[in-house]
Amino acid sequence: MGELRVRVTQDSASRWRRRSGEYATLREALEVAEPGDTVTVRAGLFHEAVLVDKPVTLVAEQGPGSVRISPPESAVRGGTALTVTAGATVRGLTVEGSDRSAPAVLVAGADGAVLADCRIETSSAVGVELADGARAQLVSCTVENPSGLGVRLRARSQAELLDCEISAAGQSGLAVLSGSRVRAERLRVHHAGGAGVLLADPGSLAELTGCEVYEVRGSGVQAEAQAVGRLADCTVHRVAGNGLSLDTGAELELSSCRVHEVPENAADLRGGAKLTMRQSVVHAFGRGALSVWDGGTKVLAEGCRFHSAQGDYPALWVSDGAALELVDCALDDLPDALFVLDQGSSASARDCSFTAVRSSAVSVSGGASADLSGCRIQGAGTGLWFRDHGSGGLLTDCEIADVATGVIVTKGADPVLRECTVRGASEAGVYVSAQGRGEFDAVRVSQGGGFGFHVIDGCRTRLVRCRAERNARSGFEFSEPGPVAEGCTSDDVAPAPAPAAVPAPRTTDPVPPLAALAPAVLTSSSPSSPSSPSSAVIAPIPDCRPAEVVLAELDALVGLATVKQEVRTLIDLISVGRARQRAGLKASSPRRHLVFTGSPGTGKTTVARLYGEILAALGVLQRGHLVEVARLDLVGEHIGSTAIRTAAAFDKARGGVLFIDEAYALAPEDGGRDFGREAIDTLVKLMEDHRDEVVVIVAGYTAEMERFLAANPGLSSRFSRTVTFPDYTADELLDIARAQAAEHEYQLDEATEAALHAHFTGLDRGAGFGNGRTARQVFESMIERHASRVAQLADPTTEDLQLLVPADLPG
């Protein structure tokens, strides 16, 4: 009799059986074991094929790796080393197989077998296979099978893989087929000869969480034939093929995933497949980040980042009728960002950023369309290029900055741009040629190194309410008649001279031609010398007060010496930066948003208004108007309304200054779930997305403003500096009262001024002190008391009507 190496312990409720027994082989032990028993295996090598057809527990006595099952090639059951057909638990065994036509481990029962801490080291057709309708759980298992598949699920089977590893598979690592389903957590699949994870056939579903696929010779995840995959917090990297391959109606959903170091496409989709990505990152790809083909194929990416391409291909490629939707995505460090090709192909982008793109940020051709809203393109060769007939799209509220050419429209393309800006293009801001068309509504081009709007070849481009300023060559260049311009303005067009008096012609004088009396039109780069009539009439930019005039008004304000110096420093930085830019030098872009701290009545609103005017005069802001709001204007009564109110106030301030008084009220000390935090979060995003359109100034008491700036991690970085407004001294309050008297044609004698100074010196400067507001209130009170006194005089003189005396001061 052989050595007794297997012990059966009775864990069932049977009373007539002996408590335990020991056997030489696993087969003998399993034959006598009953449901619920534990079969404990001593360390060693078992040359037998094992069948577990009862709900027992089979466990290695000395832990994982101490027991090896390695049946001879002549073993029965088709060379399968371990077959489980019941709801059994197998723990700590190492299974070896060598039949390349059969699986090493076969789970064929629907009762939910468990394999825990097992290791499958085999050269079989499959490492672990779930037969039709089987159910199993693998926990902390490792599968190595250089000859075939790692783990395969057949029709309608279900598996759960927890903390498992599939390595060195000769084909795919994990195959989910024929309507089977798998849920995997923290699964690692690597060094597979095919796809890391293969999904195929209708009804097949894989849910992967915290998993990693790497070092595979095929695609990281391959889904086809209407299979569905859901990946959360997963990583796919260092694969030889595509990171993700989808075909024939397959669907993948990615959440907080990473795809990188892929020599081909990070994701390749065809045949009506669908991919949804949220909060995921794609980088270091050799060909493309997303390659989307065929009608019905769709991609939705929300909150994703695509960056650091390793090749020279467009990062996002949409063709043959496919569709792509981007929401709040970032694309950077790319050769080309987004290419949309072929009739029926479409791409939309909302609130996205395109930065550091070496060639074209967006290219549209072959009759495709691209719609962009609230997007920012910065640092690209070409911002947008609409290449040929039928190609177009709608761009709304987009910003294009620091590019070679902002927008190119050629060969019959016909896009629509509304309320967009192009800033700092080294060549043309907008260039239209070769029968390109396009409609540009409220588009602003500024600070360019060439023409603002350059339309040649007689293209029938329509420009409505467009504005060009500070462009090196000229604002508008129309080489031939054709463009239509309505309500457009440029800073290089001289205002029309005042009409001179023209005497009525004598009957002997020739009647002047109508052309001599018509307004000037722009048909060349020299607006002062038009060569022929055109429907493109460009007007000068409406007048605003010169910067030096507004600065003089600022200087005339009483006190505020440090405030005036801070504002002048900012203006100097902006002015010198522009001069450096014109000279071809690097120019810093100082943040223009400010924090005003100090007590009420110290002139914060007045300085904010003048600051906006100065920036408008310098061309930094379009209008320079002031929109003053407080907590009541920004915070709503229910969830969602605050963001709407804040965005509406911000929109009203576009082109000017948004002044938020008592901003600290948005972040109360005991705020908890206060909606003011929503206003702050919305404001931070708007300031970043529209950094060159609105200057935001927040004001309030010094200590409270420190709490406000700490309410959001990104808030303090949005503001360039804090300007402190000191309380007015008694002398300065007297100066304010003098200015009020002069403005309203009153007089103060020496005695009155002395009394006023004493009054201001004795004021309580507590929380209710109003600074300049207090001085104005005192003056208004003096006027009232003066009126009561003078009304009693029978025949007051002019001096009586003007002179304020000490008795007119409030008691």
Side-chain angles (χ1 to χ4, degrees):
M1 185 174 178
E3 181 185 353
L4 301 179
R5 296 188 294 166
V6 185
R7 184 175 68 252
V8 177
T9 302
Q10 178 185 348
D11 296 319
S12 65
S14 297
R15 296 182 177 179
W16 57 269
R17 287 185 59 235
R18 63 185 184 276
R19 295 294 300 171
S20 64
E22 296 189 353
Y23 304 89
T25 66
L26 285 166
R27 180 182 60 80
E28 292 174 327
L30 289 167
E31 283 178 351
V32 301
E34 291 192 359
D37 285 352
T38 297
V39 179
T40 303
V41 188
R42 294 176 183 170
L45 174 63
F46 290 80
H47 291 290
E48 57 180 303
V50 178
L51 170 63
V52 184
D53 56 359
K54 303 169 186 176
V56 298
T57 298
L58 181 62
V59 59
E61 184 178 48
Q62 296 182 20
S66 62
V67 175
R68 302 179 74 87
I69 299 174
S70 180
E73 294 184 7
S74 60
V76 294
R77 287 183 292 278
T80 298
L82 173 63
T83 302
V84 184
T85 62
T89 297
V90 179
R91 185 181 302 277
L93 271 60
T94 297
V95 180
E96 299 177 356
S98 58
D99 190 332
R100 299 194 179 185
S101 64
V105 176
L106 175 65
V107 179
D111 296 326
V114 177
L115 274 67
D117 299 315
C118 291
R119 186 174 186 88
I120 291 84
E121 299 177 351
T122 182
S123 295
S124 304
V126 185
V128 177
E129 177 164 288
L130 274 68
D132 294 4
R135 294 176 59 242
Q137 183 185 65
L138 279 68
V139 181
S140 300
C141 292
T142 299
V143 179
E144 294 182 2
N145 183 24
S147 297
L149 294 165
V151 176
R152 177 167 67 188
L153 280 68
R154 289 194 177 275
R156 298 176 303 282
S157 62
Q158 298 182 37
E160 184 177 44
L161 280 65
L162 305 177
D163 298 298
C164 292
E165 180 177 8
I166 302 173
S167 65
Q171 300 175 32
S172 296
L174 171 64
V176 185
L177 312 173
S178 306
S180 59
R181 299 191 168 201
V182 67
R183 185 175 73 86
E185 296 183 6
R186 298 174 299 281
L187 168 68
R188 292 196 302 146
V189 181
H190 58 94
H191 294 88
V197 177
L198 173 63
L199 314 175
D201 307 319
S204 296
L205 171 65
E207 296 181 304
L208 311 180
T209 303
C211 300
E212 183 179 12
V213 179
Y214 62 99
E215 297 292 354
V216 300
R217 290 194 289 275
S219 296
V221 177
Q222 181 176 331
E224 56 193 38
Q226 302 178 48
V228 176
R230 302 189 183 108
L231 284 69
D233 191 26
C234 293
T235 301
V236 177
H237 63 119
R238 302 202 312 272
V239 301
N242 298 314
L244 312 171
S245 292
L246 289 79
D247 204 346
T248 54
E251 298 184 19
L252 281 184
E253 297 179 9
L254 274 65
S255 176
S256 301
C257 292
R258 299 153 296 279
V259 182
H260 59 93
E261 296 175 82
V262 179
E264 295 294 324
N265 297 304
D268 184 276
L269 291 84
R270 302 167 188 266
K274 294 178 175 59
L275 171 64
T276 301
M277 306 174 62
R278 293 184 174 90
Q279 307 301 323
S280 297
V281 178
V282 177
H283 67 95
F285 43 89
R287 185 171 290 270
L290 299 176
S291 184
V292 192
W293 307 74
D294 304 332
T297 305
K298 298 179 180 179
V299 174
L300 168 63
E302 295 182 343
C304 297
R305 184 185 179 196
F306 307 90
H307 70 99
S308 305
Q310 302 298 301
D312 296 321
Y313 301 92
L316 308 184
W317 177 279
V318 185
S319 66
D320 298 294
L324 168 67
E325 182 180 357
L326 304 173
V327 180
D328 193 24
C329 292
L331 299 91
D332 58 280
D333 190 16
L334 305 169
D336 292 284
L338 171 61
F339 269 41
V340 193
L341 309 91
D342 306 323
Q343 188 171 5
S345 299
S346 65
S348 67
R350 184 172 77 251
D351 299 326
C352 296
S353 65
F354 301 75
T355 57
V357 180
R358 294 185 285 280
S359 186
S360 297
V362 179
S363 173
V364 186
S365 62
S369 66
D371 295 344
L372 279 72
S373 173
C375 293
R376 177 180 175 83
I377 298 172
Q378 184 171 23
T382 300
L384 301 110
W385 192 341
F386 298 89
R387 293 177 178 266
D388 48 28
H389 182 75
S391 303
L394 173 63
L395 277 73
T396 306
D397 189 28
C398 294
E399 180 181 351
I400 305 165
D402 305 325
V403 297
T405 304
V407 182
I408 299 177
V409 182
T410 58
K411 299 180 181 178
D414 196 13
V416 176
L417 280 75
R418 293 177 180 157
E419 298 183 349
C420 297
T421 62
V422 180
R423 175 175 52 81
S426 60
E427 299 174 10
V430 172
Y431 178 74
V432 186
S433 68
Q435 289 74 55
R437 295 177 66 87
E439 178 178 329
F440 299 84
D441 185 352
V443 174
R444 179 184 181 188
V445 179
S446 64
Q447 305 176 43
F451 297 112
F453 296 84
H454 190 188
V455 183
I456 66 173
D457 301 329
C459 292
R460 300 295 296 173
T461 302
R462 177 179 171 84
L463 301 104
V464 179
R465 297 181 295 125
C466 293
R467 172 171 171 150
E469 53 190 326
R470 304 196 313 279
N471 294 289
R473 300 191 68 177
S474 71
F476 293 81
E477 164 69 7
F478 305 148
S479 60
E480 300 170 11
V484 176
E486 302 174 7
C488 297
T489 59
S490 179
D491 61 355
D492 58 359
V493 176
V502 179
R506 298 188 301 272
T507 55
T508 56
D509 292 338
V511 177
L514 290 176
L517 302 177
V521 296
L522 180 61
T523 59
S524 72
S525 60
S526 177
S528 60
S529 58
S531 58
S532 62
S534 167
S535 57
V537 179
I538 310 300
I541 292 176
D543 290 339
C544 59
R545 293 199 297 172
E548 55 270 19
V549 173
V550 187
L551 281 169
E553 182 176 336
L554 176 66
D555 288 336
L557 295 176
V558 173
L560 306 177
T562 57
V563 173
K564 296 171 186 176
Q565 182 58 46
E566 289 278 7
V567 173
R568 278 198 171 274
T569 298
L570 282 169
I571 300 308
D572 291 343
L573 283 171
I574 293 169
S575 299
V576 173
R578 289 180 53 203
R580 286 176 58 85
Q581 191 175 46
R582 286 193 297 268
L585 302 172
K586 290 183 179 180
S588 61
S589 299
R591 295 188 182 276
R592 303 184 296 269
H593 309 302
L594 301 174
V595 179
F596 284 180
T597 63
S599 303
T602 49
K604 295 187 289 294
T605 305
T606 299
V607 173
R609 175 180 58 79
L610 296 176
Y611 182 56
E613 277 198 74
I614 293 169
L615 294 182
L618 294 174
V620 175
L621 291 176
Q622 191 167 7
R623 294 174 57 193
H625 63 296
L626 181 76
V627 174
E628 183 175 0
V629 296
R631 176 188 167 90
L632 183 64
D633 305 295
L634 303 179
V635 177
E637 295 80 15
H638 53 81
I639 295 174
S641 62
T642 296
I644 295 173
R645 285 192 180 188
T646 304
F650 194 91
D651 285 341
K652 190 183 297 184
R654 289 209 181 193
V657 174
L658 178 64
F659 182 80
I660 306 176
D661 198 12
E662 297 181 351
Y664 52 81
L666 297 174
E669 288 183 292
D670 57 348
R673 295 177 58 85
D674 184 83
F675 289 147
R677 301 298 177 117
E678 184 181 354
I680 294 173
D681 296 343
T682 303
L683 183 66
V684 168
K685 187 175 190 309
L686 290 170
M687 291 170 68
E688 178 62 25
D689 293 345
H690 308 282
R691 66 181 70 178
D692 295 322
E693 298 179 56
V694 176
V695 166
V696 177
I697 298 177
V698 292
Y701 292 107
T702 301
E704 285 81 352
M705 290 306 294
E706 291 177 359
R707 185 184 72 240
F708 166 74
L709 292 175
N712 181 292
L715 189 60
S716 60
S717 65
R718 298 293 188 272
F719 294 92
S720 63
R721 62 183 65 205
T722 296
V723 180
T724 301
F725 287 67
D727 286 345
Y728 286 112
T729 64
D731 290 337
E732 290 168 342
L733 292 173
L734 179 57
D735 286 341
I736 293 173
R738 287 190 186 114
Q740 290 283 301
E743 180 180 351
H744 293 86
E745 296 185 339
Y746 285 90
Q747 294 179 357
L748 304 173
D749 60 16
E750 291 185 5
T752 305
E753 289 189 356
L756 267 173
H757 190 276
H759 177 81
F760 289 140
T761 301
L763 285 175
D764 178 14
R765 292 178 176 259
F769 180 58
N771 281 287
R773 191 177 304 131
T774 296
R776 288 187 291 273
Q777 290 171 347
V778 169
F779 176 73
E780 290 167 0
S781 178
M782 292 178 69
I783 291 176
E784 294 172 1
R785 294 170 67 88
H786 168 268
S788 298
R789 177 174 57 80
V790 174
Q792 306 303 317
L793 301 178
D795 187 18
T797 64
T798 301
E799 182 179 4
D800 291 333
L801 295 172
Q802 287 184 298
L803 186 64
L804 297 174
V805 299
D808 296 327
L809 264 71

